[in-house]
Amino acid sequence: MKEWWLQVGLLAVPLLAVYLHIPAPQLSPALRSWKSSGSFFTYKDLNIFYRDSSGAVGSSDVVVLLHGFPTSSYDWSKIWEGLTQRFHRVIALDFLGFGFSDKPRPHGYSIFEQATIVEGLLRHLGLRHQRINLVSHDYGDTVAQELLHRSLPPSCLLFGSLSTFHFFPGSGQFLGPTLSPPRRNSGICGRNNFSFSILQYINQRKKHRERWVGALTSSSIPLHLIYGPLDPVNPHPEFLQLYKKVLPMATVSVLDDHISHYPQLEDPTGFLNAYLNFINSF
């Protein structure tokens, strides 16, 4: 009689092959609308999706939104309209390997490359020397820290404000779900076996802790945290205590007790009000 593990393997291989070749699900009307309202720019022969909306008349302020793992720019959909009423331009992208952007494999995904892509988008939009306000979440927090590090002299990237939330200051801890990102050109959803490649950002946070935490502690720009107390990734009150200890000059908005890891989706009104109050305070 064959070993049980061999029998399981013989059964699993064809099932896995079928699973990996199942077409990705159709996009919802909301996602189709989101995609049709955006554009693509090219980074090293790869297509990067972004949205760029003109907003408030009479304002020159620009806000750039950096999404988290394992999602996309659609995370900002519920606050998009509200931001356009305050900012001249509202911009968001899907990082390489996420959302509607290309998902090359194999590929050595890194925070450094994602930051370079953001810089490339700003250059593509003619904003390379424009003062910007940066809002980041989760994975995007680390990209924001790298951008902030690069903005120190002699770089010309300027920041008007940096709003970070759900951020471990370089500790590398990750307590949330480790879901696989989608396949290349498969839209928002998909299946693959290369999640370990994108997940290297966790190890990168550990390796480059001094660089990225130092970018925050050395910066003179206004910093703000918008925090959901029910967040399992950054548990309350330990995370809040750590954040205030590391960044005593940063300001904090704590949302209602039932708000968790995605405040911009769970409480868009509360999140938007907290952010606009911060922006309007200086």
Side-chain angles (χ1 to χ4, degrees):
M1 182 177 179
K2 296 180 179 179
E3 296 290 343
W4 68 268
W5 55 266
L6 181 58
Q7 297 181 47
V8 171
L10 291 173
L11 178 62
V13 168
L15 290 176
L16 180 61
V18 171
Y19 173 74
L20 291 175
H21 287 84
I22 296 175
Q26 294 296 312
L27 298 180
S28 68
L31 285 175
R32 287 199 299 269
S33 175
W34 187 261
K35 184 178 182 181
S36 66
S37 299
S39 303
F40 290 86
F41 83 102
T42 302
Y43 165 79
K44 294 185 176 180
D45 297 324
L46 296 168
N47 294 316
I48 304 297
F49 175 82
Y50 70 94
R51 285 196 65 183
D52 177 13
S53 295
S54 297
V57 176
S59 172
S60 60
D61 292 347
V62 177
V63 62
V64 176
L65 313 171
L66 305 179
H67 70 81
F69 175 93
T71 50
S72 72
S73 60
Y74 189 70
D75 282 356
W76 309 108
S77 60
K78 290 188 176 182
I79 63 170
W80 196 267
E81 183 178 354
L83 290 173
T84 62
Q85 295 175 14
R86 169 59 177 80
F87 291 93
H88 173 59
R89 291 175 74 173
V90 181
I91 299 165
L93 80 161
D94 290 348
F95 289 125
L96 184 67
F98 297 81
F100 295 120
S101 292
D102 279 351
K103 304 158 186 67
R105 58 179 179 180
H107 188 81
Y109 291 90
S110 75
I111 293 298
F112 299 102
E113 181 179 46
Q114 304 287 21
T116 298
I117 290 172
V118 175
E119 290 181 322
L121 174 60
L122 294 176
R123 188 178 300 110
H124 173 75
L125 297 176
L127 298 172
R128 186 63 180 85
H129 303 292
Q130 172 75 38
R131 185 178 299 274
I132 64 170
N133 298 280
L134 195 61
V135 180
S136 63
H137 176 228
D138 190 85
Y139 182 94
D141 290 339
T142 312
V143 179
Q145 288 170 261
E146 173 58 22
L147 288 168
L148 184 59
H149 175 85
R150 297 181 187 187
S151 76
L152 302 177
S155 173
C156 341
L157 182 62
L158 303 175
F159 289 93
S161 65
L162 178 67
S163 180
T164 60
F165 53 102
H166 301 115
F167 146 72
F168 272 111
S171 69
Q173 299 184 52
F174 185 80
L175 307 179
T178 53
L179 304 176
S180 297
R183 293 178 293 180
R184 179 185 177 108
N185 297 329
S186 65
I188 295 294
C189 301
R191 297 151 296 277
N192 57 69
N193 59 356
F194 76 110
S195 62
F196 70 90
S197 186
I198 286 185
L199 285 173
Q200 286 304 306
Y201 82 91
I202 300 173
N203 292 330
Q204 292 165 22
R205 280 178 169 177
K206 296 177 181 178
K207 182 177 180 180
H208 302 289
R209 181 185 190 280
E210 183 176 347
R211 174 188 182 97
W212 290 332
V213 175
L216 291 176
T217 57
S218 302
S219 176
S220 61
I221 67 170
L223 299 170
H224 190 69
L225 170 74
I226 302 175
Y227 181 65
L230 201 60
D231 184 1
V233 180
N234 302 304
H236 185 271
E238 293 83 4
F239 168 72
L240 205 54
Q241 293 168 349
L242 174 62
Y243 187 89
K244 291 179 178 179
K245 179 180 179 181
V246 174
L247 297 171
M249 300 302 292
T251 54
V252 176
S253 294
V254 179
L255 302 180
D256 291 344
D257 290 345
H258 67 281
I259 303 302
S260 183
H261 190 62
Y262 283 86
Q264 73 275 44
L265 294 173
E266 299 171 54
D267 184 13
T269 299
F271 176 88
L272 188 62
N273 287 340
Y275 181 59
L276 294 181
N277 285 339
F278 163 62
I279 285 294
N280 295 332
S281 67
F282 56 89

